[in-house]
Amino acid sequence: MEKNYSSRQLQILISAISLIEEDGIQNLTIKNLAKRNCITDGAIYKHFKNKDEIINATLEMVRADILHLFNKAEGYSDNPISMLAYHVKCYASFFHKNPAYGIILLSETGRNEARQLKPFLKILMDEAKTIIQRIIQKGQETHYFRNDIMSDHLALLYMSSLRFTLAKWYASEYEMDIQSECTKIWNSLRLLFSNKSD
Protein backbone atom coordinates (compact mmCIF):
# COMPACT_ATOMS: atom_id res chain seq x y z
CA MET A 1 0.00 0.00 0.00
CA GLU A 2 1.50 3.31 -1.07
CA LYS A 3 -0.02 5.67 1.50
CA ASN A 4 0.89 5.49 5.17
CA TYR A 5 -2.18 5.17 7.35
CA SER A 6 -2.43 5.43 11.12
CA SER A 7 -3.21 2.26 13.05
CA ARG A 8 -6.81 3.45 13.56
CA GLN A 9 -7.22 4.18 9.84
CA LEU A 10 -5.89 0.72 8.98
CA GLN A 11 -8.29 -0.81 11.48
CA ILE A 12 -11.19 1.02 9.79
CA LEU A 13 -10.05 -0.12 6.32
CA ILE A 14 -9.70 -3.74 7.45
CA SER A 15 -13.19 -3.48 8.94
CA ALA A 16 -14.42 -2.09 5.61
CA ILE A 17 -13.09 -5.17 3.80
CA SER A 18 -14.67 -7.42 6.42
CA LEU A 19 -18.06 -5.73 5.93
CA ILE A 20 -17.78 -6.17 2.17
CA GLU A 21 -17.02 -9.85 2.66
CA GLU A 22 -20.11 -10.33 4.81
CA ASP A 23 -22.69 -8.61 2.64
CA GLY A 24 -21.14 -6.94 -0.40
CA ILE A 25 -19.94 -3.42 -1.00
CA GLN A 26 -23.43 -2.02 -0.34
CA ASN A 27 -22.89 -3.08 3.30
CA LEU A 28 -20.08 -0.54 3.61
CA THR A 29 -21.69 2.36 5.48
CA ILE A 30 -20.37 4.81 8.08
CA LYS A 31 -22.88 3.44 10.57
CA ASN A 32 -21.72 -0.16 10.05
CA LEU A 33 -18.05 0.85 10.22
CA ALA A 34 -18.59 2.74 13.46
CA LYS A 35 -20.48 -0.19 14.97
CA ARG A 36 -17.78 -2.65 13.88
CA ASN A 37 -15.06 -0.51 15.50
CA CYS A 38 -17.08 0.29 18.65
CA ILE A 39 -16.88 4.03 18.00
CA THR A 40 -19.40 6.73 17.15
CA ASP A 41 -20.25 7.70 13.57
CA GLY A 42 -18.59 11.07 14.24
CA ALA A 43 -15.34 9.40 15.30
CA ILE A 44 -14.98 7.89 11.82
CA TYR A 45 -14.81 11.42 10.40
CA LYS A 46 -11.75 12.17 12.52
CA HIS A 47 -9.88 9.67 10.38
CA PHE A 48 -11.56 9.99 6.96
CA LYS A 49 -13.40 12.92 5.39
CA ASN A 50 -16.33 10.87 4.15
CA LYS A 51 -17.47 7.47 2.89
CA ASP A 52 -15.99 8.14 -0.56
CA GLU A 53 -12.53 8.53 0.94
CA ILE A 54 -12.95 5.25 2.82
CA ILE A 55 -14.08 3.43 -0.32
CA ASN A 56 -11.19 4.89 -2.33
CA ALA A 57 -8.66 3.95 0.36
CA THR A 58 -10.13 0.44 0.60
CA LEU A 59 -9.99 -0.03 -3.17
CA GLU A 60 -6.41 1.23 -3.28
CA MET A 61 -5.44 -1.29 -0.59
CA VAL A 62 -7.12 -4.06 -2.61
CA ARG A 63 -5.35 -2.90 -5.79
CA ALA A 64 -1.92 -2.86 -4.14
CA ASP A 65 -2.36 -6.32 -2.63
CA ILE A 66 -3.64 -7.91 -5.86
CA LEU A 67 -0.97 -6.30 -8.05
CA HIS A 68 1.64 -7.58 -5.60
CA LEU A 69 0.57 -11.12 -6.60
CA PHE A 70 1.20 -10.37 -10.26
CA ASN A 71 4.52 -8.60 -9.68
CA LYS A 72 5.71 -11.40 -7.41
CA ALA A 73 5.01 -13.94 -10.16
CA GLU A 74 6.91 -11.89 -12.74
CA GLY A 75 9.98 -11.85 -10.51
CA TYR A 76 9.69 -15.49 -9.42
CA SER A 77 11.72 -17.13 -12.18
CA ASP A 78 13.34 -16.68 -15.58
CA ASN A 79 11.02 -19.35 -16.95
CA PRO A 80 7.64 -17.92 -18.08
CA ILE A 81 5.89 -21.26 -17.48
CA SER A 82 7.12 -21.27 -13.88
CA MET A 83 6.04 -17.64 -13.47
CA LEU A 84 2.45 -18.37 -14.50
CA ALA A 85 2.30 -21.63 -12.54
CA TYR A 86 3.47 -19.75 -9.46
CA HIS A 87 0.97 -16.97 -10.09
CA VAL A 88 -1.92 -19.46 -10.31
CA LYS A 89 -0.87 -21.05 -7.02
CA CYS A 90 -0.58 -17.65 -5.27
CA TYR A 91 -3.82 -16.39 -6.84
CA ALA A 92 -5.87 -19.33 -5.51
CA SER A 93 -4.27 -19.18 -2.08
CA PHE A 94 -4.70 -15.40 -1.82
CA PHE A 95 -8.41 -15.36 -2.64
CA HIS A 96 -9.04 -18.40 -0.43
CA LYS A 97 -7.61 -16.38 2.48
CA ASN A 98 -9.18 -13.06 1.37
CA PRO A 99 -12.62 -13.76 -0.13
CA ALA A 100 -13.69 -10.11 0.25
CA TYR A 101 -11.14 -9.18 -2.43
CA GLY A 102 -12.86 -11.57 -4.82
CA ILE A 103 -16.25 -10.07 -3.97
CA ILE A 104 -14.90 -6.63 -4.92
CA LEU A 105 -13.46 -7.94 -8.21
CA LEU A 106 -16.76 -9.62 -9.07
CA SER A 107 -18.98 -6.76 -7.91
CA GLU A 108 -21.80 -5.53 -10.07
CA THR A 109 -21.41 -1.84 -10.81
CA GLY A 110 -25.04 -0.77 -10.96
CA ARG A 111 -25.13 0.63 -7.44
CA ASN A 112 -24.11 4.02 -6.09
CA GLU A 113 -20.53 2.83 -5.74
CA ALA A 114 -20.28 2.39 -9.54
CA ARG A 115 -18.54 5.71 -10.08
CA GLN A 116 -15.68 4.51 -7.87
CA LEU A 117 -15.77 0.80 -8.59
CA LYS A 118 -15.90 0.89 -12.39
CA PRO A 119 -12.72 2.91 -12.96
CA PHE A 120 -10.97 1.00 -10.18
CA LEU A 121 -11.75 -2.35 -11.80
CA LYS A 122 -10.70 -1.12 -15.24
CA ILE A 123 -7.36 0.23 -13.99
CA LEU A 124 -6.64 -2.90 -11.95
CA MET A 125 -7.50 -5.25 -14.82
CA ASP A 126 -5.40 -3.23 -17.27
CA GLU A 127 -2.40 -3.22 -14.91
CA ALA A 128 -2.69 -6.94 -14.16
CA LYS A 129 -3.15 -7.83 -17.82
CA THR A 130 -0.05 -5.82 -18.75
CA ILE A 131 2.06 -7.89 -16.35
CA ILE A 132 0.64 -11.19 -17.63
CA GLN A 133 1.15 -10.06 -21.22
CA ARG A 134 4.82 -9.28 -20.50
CA ILE A 135 5.30 -12.80 -19.11
CA ILE A 136 3.60 -14.32 -22.17
CA GLN A 137 5.66 -12.19 -24.55
CA LYS A 138 8.80 -13.43 -22.82
CA GLY A 139 7.49 -16.97 -23.29
CA GLN A 140 6.94 -16.33 -26.99
CA GLU A 141 10.39 -14.79 -27.41
CA THR A 142 12.02 -17.80 -25.73
CA HIS A 143 9.80 -20.27 -27.65
CA TYR A 144 8.00 -21.63 -24.60
CA PHE A 145 4.69 -20.24 -25.87
CA ARG A 146 3.16 -20.24 -29.32
CA ASN A 147 3.56 -17.17 -31.54
CA ASP A 148 0.58 -17.71 -33.82
CA ILE A 149 -1.79 -16.07 -31.29
CA MET A 150 -1.23 -12.51 -30.12
CA SER A 151 0.15 -12.18 -26.58
CA ASP A 152 -2.70 -9.76 -25.84
CA HIS A 153 -5.26 -12.48 -26.62
CA LEU A 154 -3.43 -15.15 -24.63
CA ALA A 155 -3.25 -12.78 -21.65
CA LEU A 156 -6.97 -12.08 -21.94
CA LEU A 157 -7.70 -15.82 -22.07
CA TYR A 158 -5.54 -16.41 -18.99
CA MET A 159 -7.12 -13.56 -17.00
CA SER A 160 -10.67 -14.47 -18.02
CA SER A 161 -10.17 -18.12 -17.08
CA LEU A 162 -8.95 -17.25 -13.60
CA ARG A 163 -11.72 -14.71 -13.08
CA PHE A 164 -14.36 -17.22 -14.17
CA THR A 165 -12.91 -19.80 -11.75
CA LEU A 166 -13.08 -17.18 -8.99
CA ALA A 167 -16.74 -16.53 -9.87
CA LYS A 168 -17.50 -20.28 -9.77
CA TRP A 169 -15.88 -20.51 -6.34
CA TYR A 170 -17.92 -17.57 -5.10
CA ALA A 171 -21.15 -19.07 -6.56
CA SER A 172 -20.40 -22.35 -4.76
CA GLU A 173 -20.31 -20.37 -1.50
CA TYR A 174 -16.62 -21.28 -1.17
CA GLU A 175 -17.25 -25.04 -1.18
CA MET A 176 -15.39 -25.61 -4.45
CA ASP A 177 -11.66 -26.31 -4.08
CA ILE A 178 -10.33 -23.15 -5.71
CA GLN A 179 -6.70 -24.33 -5.58
CA SER A 180 -7.53 -27.54 -7.41
CA GLU A 181 -9.73 -25.82 -9.98
CA CYS A 182 -7.16 -23.12 -10.73
CA THR A 183 -4.48 -25.78 -11.15
CA LYS A 184 -6.68 -27.69 -13.61
CA ILE A 185 -7.35 -24.50 -15.58
CA TRP A 186 -3.63 -23.70 -15.68
CA ASN A 187 -2.78 -27.20 -16.91
CA SER A 188 -5.22 -26.74 -19.81
CA LEU A 189 -3.99 -23.22 -20.55
CA ARG A 190 -0.40 -24.43 -20.53
CA LEU A 191 -1.24 -27.00 -23.21
CA LEU A 192 -3.04 -24.33 -25.22
CA PHE A 193 -0.19 -21.81 -24.88
CA SER A 194 2.62 -24.31 -25.60
CA ASN A 195 4.73 -23.88 -28.68
CA LYS A 196 3.78 -26.98 -30.66
CA SER A 197 6.68 -26.58 -33.11
CA ASP A 198 9.29 -27.48 -30.45
Side-chain angles (χ1 to χ4, degrees), residues 84 88 145-146 154 157-162 182-194 196:
L84 292 184
V88 168
F145 297 146
R146 62 195 302 164
L154 292 177
L157 183 58
Y158 177 89
M159 298 281 293
S160 300
S161 297
L162 288 185
C182 282
T183 300
K184 289 175 190 173
I185 287 289
W186 165 240
N187 288 338
S188 295
L189 288 172
R190 180 177 175 175
L191 287 174
L192 186 64
F193 288 9
S194 291
K196 302 295 191 297

Side-chain angles (χ1 to χ4, degrees), residues 120-158:
F120 158 78
L121 289 172
K122 183 184 184 313
I123 290 168
L124 175 59
M125 291 302 158
D126 286 347
E127 289 175 320
K129 183 171 165 281
T130 296
I131 296 168
I132 294 301
Q133 189 172 348
R134 277 201 306 263
I135 294 173
I136 290 171
Q137 284 172 337
K138 181 173 183 180
Q140 290 176 324
E141 289 163 6
T142 52
H143 306 292
Y144 284 104
F145 297 146
R146 62 195 302 164
N147 282 295
D148 58 335
I149 299 177
M150 292 169 56
S151 61
D152 179 54
H153 293 171
L154 292 177
L156 185 60
L157 183 58
Y158 177 89

